[in-house]
Amino acid sequence: MTLDATIIGAFMQRRRLFSRLSRAAALIAWQQLFAPGARAQGDAMGEAAWRASEDVFTLGVASGEPRHDSVVLWTRLAPRPLETGGGMPPRAVEVTWDVAEDAEFGRIVRSGIAVAGPDSAHSVHVEVPDLRPDQVYFYRFRAGGQLSPTGRTRTAPHPLQSPQRLRVAMASCQHFEYGHFTGHREIAQADVDLVLFMGDYIYETPVASRQRVRRHARRFVHFNLDEYRIHHASYKLDADLRASHAAHPWLMIWDDHEVFNDYAGDFNRDVTNREDFLRVRTAAYRAYFEHLPISPNRAPVGPRMAMQARFQWGDLADFWLLDGRQFRSHPVCRNTWHSLRRGNLLWDCAEVNTSERTVLGLDQEAWLAQGLAGSMGQWKFVVQPTQISPSAIHTRLGPLLYADCWDAFPAARERLLEAIAQPRVPDVVCLGGDVHRHVAARLRRHPGDPASPVIASEITVTSMTSPGLSELLTGWMMSSNPDIVHARSDQRGYAILDITPERIDCEFRGMPHPALPKSQLRTQARCVIERGVAGPRKVLA
Ligand code: FE
Ligand code: CA
């Protein structure tokens, strides 16, 4: 071992020790705050005196991030959710929580007290430790003398367990004004273990009145914390969305509309001053965290939030949740004759080929590549917001690309596919959203080259409500890209992945656009991915 390596080794050891110590310190602080001993503190905060006269659980309950021994529980107290402060007193209050093995709470296994304060919009994020693996649990909260609705959740199997099945519902892109969350109503009833949300949980922009099915409660004017909070709260007032959260644990990634259309890193074309945009991003990230079942360890700090995370489901499935926005390179060829629709579509733009351009950022790329190479999971799911396989429409002027998907980042896509193509990384399935169509596609080592080997499969879920391309353009896109096995843009819905050690059955569920409360979802198509065979195969519905 060289001297350098020794020093670095000692340094790493110390760093690990420090991070263990600071985690222990944080845990002690956490326990002091939330343990039964904290009651006196709660009384000092005036909790004993606080009795809510209106329903405080208007936004429902949610759970997420299931691990083999823990799960995150969420709620937010908001008797008047569309008002600044949510109608809560401007002070911290106590919220008790219970986790039980039965829906009647006869067998409570964990309980505790959390503190909900105005700094976090009276939201509660509890990471419940020491749970049993592969177990269904029920949870509820109590605050202001009221009891919340009951949520149902579950833990993942232990990483050394070999589960025979995992069922996942995938959803994305739920613009409130374009339609109803009818798909969520079905997901809430579905026999699934978890919901994977692929991004565009809220949309910050209104839609034209002729396309509008219902209205956002408020319009954004200042893009400040108050507005993002009210906007998130207004989405949660939808009963179908609340039901979907209460029924299953969620794993989530974000895309652009959680902050601002098409933003990339610290850049946005509508808020051109960087400092101003980072203020918007800070507010948006914070409100996002406050309204979703995300671990308190990942709470945002200023304009940064740790979105990337890895989750395991026994040895059956490994999930990498990726952040495709925070570290993304700035858009190119805007305001040139190579761009259409304000830079949304590009053709013949040489700058897209720059090797430094990235969707994930170099650190996250390396983290993913390392994780994939070391994974023992039978299936490896790369969870990211958009379509990876080529979707450019071939015209006489050359390919016309959508600037927000991986077509506009060919060097980064090469690096991603190189990591996937390593001989020890079989059975990779890339999952995406954003393009508002169901897609099943083959991923080749070199996209678009029919001589290049197929190395992975891709499943992209259609939107819950947001409109897609016309069927004419979708057909044109498919004939330009023969590796697309299935694509349909005219239906809204969600997808179910039925995962077993031998194969994945993907069912694309769809209903006509726009999604209305009485719309019927039907099976649009089915695809199968077999273990050891890269690329999905379409089967008759
Ligand atoms: Fe979208
Ligand atoms: Ca998007």
Side-chain angles (χ1 to χ4, degrees):
M1 200 188 266
T2 65
L3 184 63
D4 280 6
T6 317
I7 292 170
I8 289 168
F11 174 72
M12 291 303 285
Q13 237 171 16
R14 275 185 59 170
R15 230 175 58 161
R16 272 197 294 273
L17 177 68
F18 274 123
S19 83
R20 263 206 300 272
L21 285 177
S22 59
R23 262 165 55 189
L27 193 68
I28 290 165
W30 184 260
Q31 283 165 347
Q32 278 174 352
L33 203 56
F34 300 144
R39 269 215 180 275
Q41 205 180 340
D43 289 348
M45 285 185 267
E47 193 277 338
W50 184 62
R51 278 285 168 278
S53 51
E54 299 157 272
D55 179 13
V56 295
F57 294 106
T58 54
L59 307 182
V61 299
S63 74
E65 307 202 358
R67 298 198 182 268
H68 73 271
D69 56 353
S70 69
V71 71
V72 174
L73 308 182
W74 171 91
T75 192
R76 183 191 157 201
L77 312 179
R80 273 165 271 135
L82 300 181
E83 287 178 16
T84 298
M88 286 295 289
R91 61 170 191 270
V93 300
E94 280 186 358
V95 182
T96 59
W97 53 268
D98 297 320
V99 174
E101 286 174 351
D102 60 324
E104 290 72 42
F105 290 84
R107 297 191 305 278
I108 293 178
V109 294
R110 292 277 171 281
S111 288
I113 301 173
V115 174
D119 287 352
S120 57
H122 293 92
S123 64
V124 175
H125 297 79
V126 183
E127 191 148 24
V128 184
D130 303 323
L131 295 174
R132 296 216 321 252
D134 203 15
Q135 167 87 40
V136 170
Y137 289 105
F138 298 86
Y139 61 95
R140 65 184 181 192
F141 300 90
R142 202 186 301 267
Q146 295 181 3
L147 196 60
S148 77
T150 295
R152 180 186 171 281
T153 190
R154 60 164 302 151
T155 49
H158 189 277
L160 297 177
Q161 272 179 290
S162 300
Q164 293 305 298
R165 199 173 183 196
L166 163 63
R167 281 172 59 84
V168 176
M170 283 172 75
S172 79
C173 293
Q174 48 189 31
H175 199 307
F176 187 88
E177 297 196 343
Y178 274 121
H180 290 263
F181 298 157
T182 317
H184 276 305
R185 188 188 310 162
E186 197 175 280
I187 291 175
Q189 302 293 325
D191 171 24
V192 295
D193 299 295
L194 79 110
V195 175
L196 258 188
F197 195 83
M198 310 300 298
D200 288 355
Y201 186 88
I202 57 164
Y203 279 72
E204 83 293 1
T205 40
V207 309
S209 55
R210 67 194 149 78
Q211 294 173 302
R212 192 194 298 140
V213 171
R214 53 180 180 168
R215 268 189 105 119
H216 280 142
R218 299 270 195 285
R219 294 270 179 271
F220 277 91
V221 180
H222 306 292
F223 293 88
N224 58 23
L225 181 58
D226 200 32
E227 288 181 348
Y228 278 104
R229 280 174 171 168
I230 289 173
H231 208 67
H232 270 280
S234 75
Y235 274 63
K236 284 279 186 348
L237 289 178
D238 184 286
D240 294 326
L241 180 59
R242 288 203 306 279
S244 182
H245 275 294
H248 315 289
W250 284 36
L251 285 179
M252 310 193 57
I253 57 168
W254 58 28
D255 196 31
D256 53 337
H257 288 287
E258 281 85 352
V259 180
F260 217 109
N261 185 28
D262 289 348
Y263 88 93
D266 58 4
F267 175 86
N268 181 271
R269 68 186 170 211
D270 296 292
V271 185
T272 47
N273 179 294
R274 180 176 178 272
E275 298 309 312
D276 287 344
F277 179 63
L278 285 179
R279 262 193 292 279
V280 171
R281 201 175 96 173
T282 302
Y285 283 10
R286 193 160 152 197
Y288 177 83
F289 171 76
E290 287 170 351
H291 289 83
L292 292 163
I294 293 172
S295 164
N297 296 324
R298 301 209 275 146
V301 178
R304 277 172 279 280
M305 181 169 158
M307 265 319 267
Q308 75 202 56
R310 180 175 171 183
F311 289 87
Q312 284 169 280
W313 201 269
D315 69 358
L316 181 62
D318 246 352
F319 293 91
W320 283 267
L321 306 193
L322 300 176
D323 181 344
R325 283 291 160 188
Q326 202 170 173
F327 312 108
R328 182 183 283 240
S329 302
H330 292 188
V332 289
C333 291
R334 292 183 324 119
N335 311 321
T336 68
W337 75 285
H338 298 288
S339 108
L340 285 175
R341 289 181 55 208
R342 304 185 73 210
N344 214 267
L345 292 168
L346 303 174
W347 85 90
D348 201 20
C349 164
E351 287 174 56
V352 300
N353 297 312
T354 326
S355 66
E356 298 81 55
R357 275 173 63 68
T358 172
V359 175
L360 303 174
L362 297 183
D363 288 350
Q364 195 176 200
E365 284 182 12
W367 172 77
L368 172 65
Q370 223 169 51
L372 283 172
S375 169
M376 302 297 278
Q378 302 184 51
W379 294 101
K380 296 156 202 78
F381 294 97
V382 174
V383 183
Q384 53 79 51
T386 189
Q387 188 171 338
I388 297 171
S389 59
S391 61
I393 289 175
H394 293 185
T395 70
R396 281 204 199 146
L397 286 169
L400 194 59
L401 352 152
Y402 168 45
D404 233 30
C405 72
W406 288 77
D407 277 341
F409 299 83
R413 182 164 63 186
E414 275 292 312
R415 294 193 292 273
L416 173 68
L417 294 171
E418 188 187 340
I420 291 174
Q422 296 306 307
R424 290 185 54 242
V425 192
D427 301 311
V428 173
V429 181
C430 294
L431 304 177
D434 176 50
V435 290
H436 306 175
R437 57 178 172 258
H438 282 315
V439 181
R442 295 183 283 262
L443 283 168
R444 291 186 191 272
R445 174 66 190 86
H446 300 294
D449 174 3
S452 173
V454 176
I455 56 162
S457 310
E458 178 170 46
I459 301 288
T460 301
V461 68
T462 196
S463 51
M464 190 56 73
T465 54
S466 311
L469 281 183
S470 70
E471 277 306 274
L472 183 77
L473 285 177
T474 305
W476 194 356
M477 179 198 73
M478 285 188 76
S479 59
S480 304
N481 300 284
D483 283 324
I484 296 178
V485 175
H486 173 79
R488 238 181 111 167
S489 307
D490 61 332
Q491 293 200 326
R492 311 284 67 87
Y494 71 103
I496 289 186
L497 303 177
D498 195 338
I499 304 157
T500 65
E502 299 78 38
R503 57 192 253 164
I504 299 173
D505 286 279
C506 170
E507 178 182 353
F508 291 123
R509 301 284 292 161
M511 66 194 130
H513 182 89
L516 298 173
K518 289 215 163 75
S519 300
Q520 288 290 315
L521 286 121
R522 293 181 207 287
T523 302
Q524 176 188 101
R526 288 179 191 274
C527 290
V528 171
I529 302 168
E530 256 153 302
R531 258 310 270 299
V533 184
R537 183 164 53 79
K538 193 166 169 175
V539 293
L540 288 175

